[in-house]
Amino acid sequence: MKIGFIGLGHMGAPMALNLIKAGHALTVFDLSAEAMQTLADAGATRAATPKAAATGAEWVVTMLPAAAHVRTVLSAEDGVLAGIAKGVTIIDSSTIDPASAKEFGALAAAHGNAFVDAPVSGGTGGAAAGTLTFMVGGSAALYESVKPVLAGMGKNIVHCGETGTGQVAKICNNLVLGVTMAGVAEAMALGEALGIDSKVLGGIMNTSTGRCWSSDTYNPFPGVIETAPSSRGYTGGFGTDLMLKDMGLATDAAKSVHQPAYMGALAQQLYQAMSSRGDGKLDFSAIIKLYRGEKG
Amino acid sequence: MKIGFIGLGHMGAPMALNLIKAGHALTVFDLSAEAMQTLADAGATRAATPKAAATGAEWVVTMLPAAAHVRTVLSAEDGVLAGIAKGVTIIDSSTIDPASAKEFGALAAAHGNAFVDAPVSGGTGGAAAGTLTFMVGGSAALYESVKPVLAGMGKNIVHCGETGTGQVAKICNNLVLGVTMAGVAEAMALGEALGIDSKVLGGIMNTSTGRCWSSDTYNPFPGVIETAPSSRGYTGGFGTDLMLKDMGLATDAAKSVHQPAYMGALAQQLYQAMSSRGDGKLDFSAIIKLYRGEKG
Amino acid sequence: MKIGFIGLGHMGAPMALNLIKAGHALTVFDLSAEAMQTLADAGATRAATPKAAATGAEWVVTMLPAAAHVRTVLSAEDGVLAGIAKGVTIIDSSTIDPASAKEFGALAAAHGNAFVDAPVSGGTGGAAAGTLTFMVGGSAALYESVKPVLAGMGKNIVHCGETGTGQVAKICNNLVLGVTMAGVAEAMALGEALGIDSKVLGGIMNTSTGRCWSSDTYNPFPGVIETAPSSRGYTGGFGTDLMLKDMGLATDAAKSVHQPAYMGALAQQLYQAMSSRGDGKLDFSAIIKLYRGEKG
Amino acid sequence: MKIGFIGLGHMGAPMALNLIKAGHALTVFDLSAEAMQTLADAGATRAATPKAAATGAEWVVTMLPAAAHVRTVLSAEDGVLAGIAKGVTIIDSSTIDPASAKEFGALAAAHGNAFVDAPVSGGTGGAAAGTLTFMVGGSAALYESVKPVLAGMGKNIVHCGETGTGQVAKICNNLVLGVTMAGVAEAMALGEALGIDSKVLGGIMNTSTGRCWSSDTYNPFPGVIETAPSSRGYTGGFGTDLMLKDMGLATDAAKSVHQPAYMGALAQQLYQAMSSRGDGKLDFSAIIKLYRGEKG
């Protein structure tokens, strides 16, 4: 199928490459000439604008940093909506707030196009391996229709409900992730200070009620899980600044529906403290440094 | 073997019954005549005092509400140390602070007795089924020696390190538990307010990075996990007041070693809010009521 | 002087009335016909659009709920910038984020107009009495030039620095206000639970190191300060939802400069909890209800 | 009058010296020979034990670090109660938990003695100058009777209610103090990051609704208040570790009556973070370092 793909960053580039491998014909756009070149080398056609990428496409996929970028890419004079054919579906895999997702859905509908929000989990590793999870917001029929496209980039394609609910699922999951990581960091550092061996503590936690992904797969204490970023200097995982963005989306979403978000708001400030001391590029599990007296 | 068993509450009684089933001869003590009767009916000998329960015993097991009770049971005029033979090991399965456990270890040692802290996880269900996990603090040799006794009451018997580390493991695990439950409650309530189906959200969380025992086994949102207390009116699980006690132990232990415990301290206040509005007897996952606008 | 005044809400209406009393000629605009009528009755000229209100004015004053409204009022086709003469200064007394204030300053400058941010404190009482404090952001020369206009509406006119710093001052002050009120509420409720007379406790606090406006002028415990909203059922003061808006501005501003805002973020959630239970219209000192077990 | 005085630390020594200046005959006890020598040089009689200090005294004053010390000083074999004559009143000026104060009141009563809790505010400066505030818990008659003694050490002697309420007043006041200081530090650092001059911001806060002792007398930002510890390197004020102790008393007292203490618990963790990084001896306003990126 002919796919217009816009946004070739750390996530977008490997996703687009997988679509090519899956046999699709891609026309791509990104502000970075280098990123464009990589995709062109793999067989994609370069477009000069989002409009050009969307022109003639049977599907349009966007993978962008924030809602403001999606808005511009869709609505600008040389944007997607200026080029896309009526009836074509736009798949936005960016992580953005649910309200903006709904707004883009309405915008697309007014233009005669369908729109699904389909944020991902799985990180750059999952993007490269084609094993991402997609959380899809849109009607059941739309969900069925986008599955073949998403199957080229991921393994697990989940229908979350109407437009926006893909973002809701992503945000709520990452809220839990940000909170549990802070909690595990706090407890592992406390255990160390109280004199228990950290591998022993990790082992107990992981077979007991404290069990969680932040402990059994991604434990923030170095050496407990050999494959975790903590065991390689907190490099190469999910950056603190990205977690901070997601915690901001969660507390903003909570504000929008008048829900308190005590734990998330506090965890957000702790990641903020990491960012403000210059540790924003480290994996988010480096939050344990705040508890172990390691300076930024 | 002859075992003196002191403390026949919701946990202690089924633990003692399992020791009898395992073929041990028990002499028991509790302030409740009713609890004593239940054990006597099962074949235990009643003792009039902790001292009497310890006299002639080859092992002494204590299962009490707090450190103050353990102190009294050990040191009072009619206490364990007044009756116990030299060389006999005391196993304390109460959940108490690590410093008190060390103090009791020294107290026993000065008296010619060994002491291990062996708090449990698994709740009243695990106590009845004999499937508790024991977290044992004491020397490697002591750990080996107490294993056959603990095997009569539990399945998983873990060596945590020197005296007090059993309590450290218990406290750190439950700190994570208290924090993750609050985080999951916050996220599930947020998802509901944002319009996603709670079963769908739970399902995504449980196969993604938000995965944790508080979500996949004990989800606080009614109906997500059919076997969780939330699906039966928050009854019959691990009471909010008990979680509050454990969060207090965690933040107090953190204070004792000058560690910040941001997340734990905040979660503690939320459980406190539940307790102060009269919901202390509900399962601790009822904390979600604070987020769903359900009055106490 | 001829003044165009846009925004005749609870604050704007009495401010505009005071400008009339001070002898200025006002042309006013608001979406509410009723608000327009009140001002017309007092001698103001009604304008059909912000553009019309700005046309021919020597000064333009805006008093609007949020940055989005200011943006529209300035930039819309029938907005202020479409009607205002070059060289005329725009005074924005809305409480908005500092970044938007700077943006509006640049927008006005590009159009040949000066802009000052001049948010107020003093509430509806101060607006009516003409005793507001204005926190002015703009050059020293601009500050001097706007003083005669602001003097018609307030008593205390403070120069805070360059454009945007008026909003910074407002936001930082209200951050402290929101935090101290939550702290005083927590302490007064704790004192009550511990058995001290609340007037005695308030008296001690107010002559000791706990002294603060939230305690000595606006104490949240009923009866401690007779003139405080707490002594008249939490009516008629500074609404919880308005405090919530300001706490949101503070934590958002903190996010924008990568500053942690632990205390503000937590207080924000507590006001959020009040709002979500239906108490958003009560004075913000009603936050003490969260601590005294009073249901929403 | 003959006064037995026990506890000659940073607070106790100047308090005892003022009693001598006021014409009282003092018999003193402290574990430090140096502290004893200072008082002896000023005319006090040295006692070998608390019992000896209490023997023959018409009043006994204690000024000790924590409840455990008071308990020992009162109850030990060579303690106050072993030497004191029946009918003599014990004045405890230590800062301790209200429950312990009540316990000591009952202990004294059982022994035929009266007891008042009379914690102080005013710091070492107030102790030296004789301008302390005493918060007195005990019957109205007792309060009247101790006034002449306390008048030798302080200016403001306030009756708080029955035994223990002096401690309640102290704890609640310092809870507010700890929270407001954290809030002011957060806001002053935020203002700095957002580009407002700190003296200007402090000036606005101090004449507006953010006004509080932590801002107008003890502002944590260097240079805003010349006489504050922040303007002399955070030396010589009220140490972070002492504030930490008081925040611990407040949250423990809240726990004892099932009151949530959200703001206090969070502030406590922030002071804890200061202490754990080695800044426990700095004035508690140094908490602003956590916000300004100043390393410990």
Side-chain angles (χ1 to χ4, degrees):
Chain A
M1 286 185 292
K2 293 182 187 172
I3 300 176
F5 198 109
I6 297 151
L8 303 170
H10 292 303
M11 292 296 292
M15 288 165 68
L17 287 170
N18 278 327
L19 283 176
I20 294 173
K21 279 185 212 157
H24 299 293
L26 260 67
T27 305
V28 300
F29 174 77
D30 194 278
L31 293 174
S32 154
E34 198 186 331
M36 293 276 269
Q37 186 61 50
T38 303
L39 267 291
D41 291 348
T45 303
R46 274 179 278 210
T49 60
K51 176 182 173 180
T55 304
E58 294 165 295
W59 302 91
V60 172
V61 179
T62 52
M63 186 61 179
L64 297 159
H69 306 90
V70 182
R71 187 172 288 110
T72 302
V73 158
L74 293 183
S75 312
E77 216 173 312
D78 61 355
V80 165
L81 292 176
I84 197 169
K86 286 209 190 304
V88 168
T89 296
I90 302 166
I91 301 170
D92 179 34
S93 283
S94 318
T95 294
I96 63 173
D97 61 289
S100 291
K102 286 186 193 172
E103 173 197 333
F104 301 149
L107 191 69
H111 200 268
N113 294 94
F115 173 94
V116 298
D117 49 309
V120 303
S121 77
T124 52
T131 57
L132 293 170
T133 292
F134 285 89
M135 292 159 265
V136 183
S139 71
L142 254 180
Y143 165 69
E144 290 302 330
S145 77
V146 300
K147 258 177 139 175
V149 180
L150 299 180
M153 302 181 281
K155 264 194 168 167
N156 199 12
I157 300 160
V158 189
H159 188 215
C160 299
E162 293 306 305
T163 313
T165 55
Q167 300 296 351
V168 173
K170 174 79 187 277
I171 282 173
C172 290
N173 179 75
N174 281 19
L175 169 58
V176 173
L177 175 59
V179 167
T180 57
M181 181 55 80
V184 170
E186 192 164 301
M188 293 299 300
L190 175 58
E192 181 188 23
L194 290 170
I196 195 170
D197 179 85
S198 298
K199 283 199 180 184
V200 169
L201 177 55
I204 288 167
M205 226 177 251
N206 295 340
T207 54
S208 184
T209 51
R211 172 175 59 75
C212 54
W213 187 89
S214 294
S215 174
D216 67 19
T217 303
Y218 219 76
N219 198 292
F221 201 97
V224 171
I225 303 291
E226 289 305 331
T227 52
S230 59
S231 297
R232 52 173 192 265
Y234 301 99
T235 59
F238 182 55
T240 297
D241 282 341
L242 291 172
M243 174 48 84
L244 192 50
K245 177 200 160 193
D246 286 3
M247 297 302 281
L249 287 173
T251 54
D252 283 352
K255 190 160 63 174
S256 76
V257 287
H258 294 269
Q259 276 287 118
Y262 304 101
M263 302 297 287
L266 178 55
Q268 184 179 358
Q269 303 310 316
L270 295 170
Y271 293 112
Q272 185 69 78
M274 284 298 286
S275 183
S276 78
R277 67 182 227 170
D279 285 339
K281 300 298 173 210
L282 296 182
D283 180 76
F284 80 112
S285 63
I287 194 174
I288 200 173
K289 288 173 180 280
L290 290 181
Y291 294 98
R292 297 183 75 205
E294 296 178 21
K295 293 177 190 179
Chain B
M1 288 185 290
K2 294 182 188 172
I3 300 176
F5 198 108
I6 297 150
L8 303 170
H10 291 304
M11 292 295 292
M15 288 165 70
L17 286 170
N18 277 327
L19 284 176
I20 293 173
K21 278 185 212 157
H24 300 293
L26 259 68
T27 306
V28 300
F29 175 78
D30 195 277
L31 292 174
S32 152
E34 197 186 333
M36 294 275 270
Q37 185 62 49
T38 303
L39 267 292
D41 291 348
T45 304
R46 274 179 278 210
T49 62
K51 177 181 172 180
T55 303
E58 293 166 294
W59 302 91
V60 171
V61 178
T62 53
M63 187 61 178
L64 297 158
H69 306 89
V70 182
R71 187 172 289 111
T72 303
V73 157
L74 294 183
S75 311
E77 218 174 310
D78 61 355
V80 166
L81 292 176
I84 198 171
K86 286 206 190 307
V88 168
T89 296
I90 301 165
I91 301 170
D92 179 35
S93 283
S94 318
T95 295
I96 63 173
D97 62 289
S100 292
K102 285 185 194 174
E103 174 198 332
F104 300 149
L107 190 70
H111 199 268
N113 293 93
F115 174 94
V116 298
D117 49 307
V120 303
S121 77
T124 51
T131 57
L132 293 171
T133 292
F134 285 89
M135 292 160 263
V136 182
S139 71
L142 255 179
Y143 165 68
E144 290 302 331
S145 77
V146 300
K147 259 177 138 173
V149 179
L150 300 180
M153 302 181 280
K155 261 194 172 164
N156 198 12
I157 300 160
V158 189
H159 188 215
C160 298
E162 294 304 307
T163 313
T165 56
Q167 300 295 352
V168 172
K170 174 78 188 276
I171 281 173
C172 290
N173 179 74
N174 280 21
L175 170 58
V176 172
L177 175 59
V179 167
T180 57
M181 180 55 78
V184 170
E186 192 164 301
M188 292 299 300
L190 176 58
E192 181 188 24
L194 290 169
I196 195 171
D197 179 85
S198 298
K199 284 199 180 185
V200 169
L201 177 55
I204 289 167
M205 227 178 248
N206 295 339
T207 53
S208 185
T209 51
R211 170 176 60 76
C212 54
W213 186 89
S214 294
S215 174
D216 66 19
T217 303
Y218 219 77
N219 198 293
F221 201 96
V224 172
I225 304 291
E226 289 304 331
T227 53
S230 59
S231 296
R232 52 173 191 267
Y234 302 100
T235 59
F238 182 55
T240 296
D241 283 341
L242 292 172
M243 174 48 83
L244 192 50
K245 176 202 161 192
D246 286 3
M247 297 304 280
L249 286 172
T251 53
D252 284 351
K255 190 160 64 172
S256 76
V257 288
H258 294 268
Q259 278 286 119
Y262 304 101
M263 303 296 287
L266 178 55
Q268 183 180 357
Q269 303 310 316
L270 295 170
Y271 292 113
Q272 185 71 77
M274 285 297 287
S275 183
S276 79
R277 66 181 227 170
D279 285 339
K281 300 298 173 210
L282 295 182
D283 181 75
F284 79 112
S285 63
I287 194 173
I288 200 172
K289 289 173 180 280
L290 290 181
Y291 294 99
R292 298 183 73 207
E294 296 178 21
K295 293 177 189 179
Chain C
M1 286 186 293
K2 293 182 187 171
I3 300 176
F5 198 108
I6 296 149
L8 304 170
H10 292 302
M11 292 295 292
M15 288 165 69
L17 286 170
N18 278 326
L19 284 176
I20 294 173
K21 279 185 212 157
H24 299 294
L26 260 66
T27 306
V28 300
F29 175 77
D30 194 277
L31 293 174
S32 154
E34 197 186 333
M36 293 275 269
Q37 186 61 51
T38 304
L39 267 291
D41 290 349
T45 303
R46 274 179 278 209
T49 60
K51 177 182 173 181
T55 304
E58 294 166 292
W59 302 91
V60 171
V61 179
T62 52
M63 187 61 178
L64 297 158
H69 306 92
V70 182
R71 186 172 290 110
T72 303
V73 158
L74 294 183
S75 311
E77 217 174 310
D78 60 356
V80 166
L81 292 176
I84 198 169
K86 285 207 190 307
V88 168
T89 296
I90 301 165
I91 301 171
D92 179 34
S93 283
S94 318
T95 295
I96 63 173
D97 61 288
S100 291
K102 286 185 193 173
E103 174 198 333
F104 300 149
L107 190 69
H111 200 269
N113 293 94
F115 174 94
V116 298
D117 49 307
V120 302
S121 76
T124 51
T131 57
L132 293 170
T133 291
F134 285 90
M135 292 160 264
V136 182
S139 71
L142 254 179
Y143 165 69
E144 290 301 331
S145 77
V146 300
K147 257 177 138 175
V149 179
L150 299 181
M153 301 181 280
K155 262 193 171 167
N156 197 12
I157 300 160
V158 189
H159 187 214
C160 299
E162 294 304 307
T163 312
T165 55
Q167 299 295 351
V168 172
K170 174 77 189 276
I171 282 173
C172 290
N173 179 74
N174 281 20
L175 170 58
V176 173
L177 175 59
V179 167
T180 56
M181 181 54 79
V184 170
E186 191 164 301
M188 292 298 302
L190 176 58
E192 181 188 25
L194 290 169
I196 195 171
D197 179 85
S198 298
K199 283 199 181 184
V200 169
L201 178 55
I204 289 167
M205 227 178 248
N206 295 340
T207 53
S208 184
T209 51
R211 171 175 59 75
C212 54
W213 187 89
S214 295
S215 175
D216 65 19
T217 303
Y218 219 76
N219 199 292
F221 201 96
V224 171
I225 304 290
E226 289 305 330
T227 53
S230 58
S231 296
R232 51 173 192 265
Y234 302 101
T235 59
F238 182 54
T240 296
D241 283 341
L242 292 172
M243 174 48 83
L244 192 51
K245 176 201 163 194
D246 286 4
M247 297 303 282
L249 287 173
T251 54
D252 283 351
K255 190 159 66 172
S256 75
V257 288
H258 294 268
Q259 278 286 120
Y262 303 101
M263 303 296 288
L266 178 55
Q268 183 180 358
Q269 303 310 316
L270 295 170
Y271 294 113
Q272 185 71 78
M274 284 297 286
S275 182
S276 78
R277 68 181 226 169
D279 285 339
K281 300 299 174 211
L282 295 183
D283 180 76
F284 79 113
S285 64
I287 194 174
I288 199 172
K289 288 173 180 280
L290 290 181
Y291 294 98
R292 296 183 75 205
E294 295 178 22
K295 292 177 189 178
Chain D
M1 288 185 290
K2 293 183 186 171
I3 299 176
F5 198 107
I6 296 151
L8 304 170
H10 292 303
M11 292 295 292
M15 288 165 69
L17 286 169
N18 278 327
L19 284 177
I20 293 174
K21 279 185 211 157
H24 299 294
L26 259 68
T27 305
V28 300
F29 175 78
D30 195 278
L31 292 174
S32 153
E34 199 186 332
M36 293 276 269
Q37 185 61 50
T38 303
L39 267 291
D41 291 348
T45 304
R46 273 179 279 212
T49 61
K51 177 183 173 180
T55 304
E58 292 165 295
W59 301 91
V60 171
V61 179
T62 52
M63 187 61 179
L64 297 158
H69 306 91
V70 182
R71 188 172 287 109
T72 302
V73 157
L74 294 184
S75 311
E77 216 174 312
D78 61 355
V80 165
L81 292 177
I84 197 169
K86 286 207 189 307
V88 168
T89 295
I90 300 167
I91 301 170
D92 179 34
S93 283
S94 318
T95 295
I96 63 173
D97 61 289
S100 291
K102 285 186 194 172
E103 174 198 333
F104 300 151
L107 190 69
H111 199 269
N113 294 94
F115 173 95
V116 298
D117 49 308
V120 302
S121 77
T124 52
T131 57
L132 293 170
T133 292
F134 284 90
M135 292 159 263
V136 182
S139 69
L142 254 180
Y143 165 68
E144 290 301 329
S145 77
V146 300
K147 257 177 140 174
V149 179
L150 299 180
M153 302 182 281
K155 264 194 171 165
N156 199 11
I157 299 160
V158 188
H159 188 214
C160 299
E162 294 304 306
T163 313
T165 55
Q167 300 296 351
V168 172
K170 173 77 188 278
I171 281 173
C172 290
N173 179 75
N174 281 20
L175 170 58
V176 173
L177 175 60
V179 167
T180 56
M181 180 55 79
V184 170
E186 193 164 300
M188 292 299 301
L190 176 57
E192 181 188 25
L194 290 168
I196 195 171
D197 179 85
S198 298
K199 283 198 182 187
V200 169
L201 178 55
I204 289 167
M205 227 178 250
N206 295 339
T207 53
S208 185
T209 51
R211 172 175 60 75
C212 55
W213 188 89
S214 295
S215 176
D216 66 20
T217 303
Y218 219 77
N219 199 292
F221 201 96
V224 171
I225 303 290
E226 290 305 331
T227 52
S230 59
S231 296
R232 53 173 192 265
Y234 302 100
T235 58
F238 183 55
T240 297
D241 283 342
L242 291 172
M243 174 49 84
L244 192 50
K245 177 202 161 192
D246 286 3
M247 297 303 281
L249 287 173
T251 55
D252 283 351
K255 190 160 63 172
S256 75
V257 288
H258 294 268
Q259 277 287 118
Y262 303 101
M263 303 297 287
L266 178 55
Q268 182 180 359
Q269 303 309 317
L270 295 170
Y271 293 112
Q272 185 71 77
M274 284 297 286
S275 182
S276 79
R277 67 182 225 169
D279 285 339
K281 300 299 174 210
L282 296 182
D283 180 75
F284 79 111
S285 63
I287 193 174
I288 200 173
K289 288 173 180 281
L290 290 181
Y291 294 97
R292 298 183 74 206
E294 297 179 22
K295 292 177 190 180

